[in-house]
Amino acid sequence: MKKVFLVLALLLTLSSESEAQLLHDIRADSILAPRGKTPIGWSVTLQARFTNVGSSNEANVGVTCIVKNWAGIEYRDTEWVATWNSGQTVDVTFVPFTPLANGPDEICAL
């Protein structure tokens, strides 16, 4: 009985570690800019880091940055990456954003 249990446990461990890599898979890694507080009425650069974790090279991929406040979406921009190799990380700079009111904003990259 112990031998069967050990083999089953080993098989479960091996199967959970071997995840299949998707063919097309772009991951948003982090927001690079801005960091911290931004002054009202001043244009700020928005920048995010993305990685092609898929198994294929990509071409003409759109990535988007959205800024939301308490009232909803106040900024949205999509930039295009012309060529993107599998495993490559790309830092994308978006059109500048100008905050017009006090309060917290949520920045999302997708």
Side-chain angles (χ1 to χ4, degrees):
M1 184 72 168
K2 279 188 175 181
K3 289 182 183 179
V4 174
F5 179 75
L6 289 175
V7 170
L8 180 59
L10 180 60
L11 288 174
L12 289 174
T13 303
L14 290 176
S15 66
S16 66
E17 290 177 2
S18 60
E19 294 180 22
Q21 184 178 20
L22 297 175
L23 188 60
H24 304 285
D25 193 7
I26 303 297
R27 177 181 69 208
D29 294 326
S30 60
I31 302 296
L32 302 175
R35 293 296 224 192
K37 295 181 179 182
T38 56
I40 294 173
W42 290 72
S43 177
V44 294
T45 299
L46 295 173
Q47 189 176 43
R49 177 168 289 155
F50 299 88
T51 301
N52 179 358
V53 295
S55 60
S56 67
N57 295 337
E58 300 293 341
N60 300 318
V61 176
V63 292
T64 301
C65 184
I66 297 172
V67 178
K68 292 173 28 178
N69 65 13
W70 61 270
I73 295 174
E74 61 181 324
Y75 168 94
R76 179 183 310 183
D77 182 39
T78 299
E79 295 295 327
W80 296 89
V81 179
T83 57
W84 208 337
N85 295 326
S86 178
Q88 181 181 10
T89 297
V90 176
D91 294 343
V92 178
T93 301
F94 296 92
V95 172
F97 163 68
T98 305
L100 299 176
N102 276 327
D105 287 328
E106 179 180 300
I107 303 173
C108 303
L110 19 131

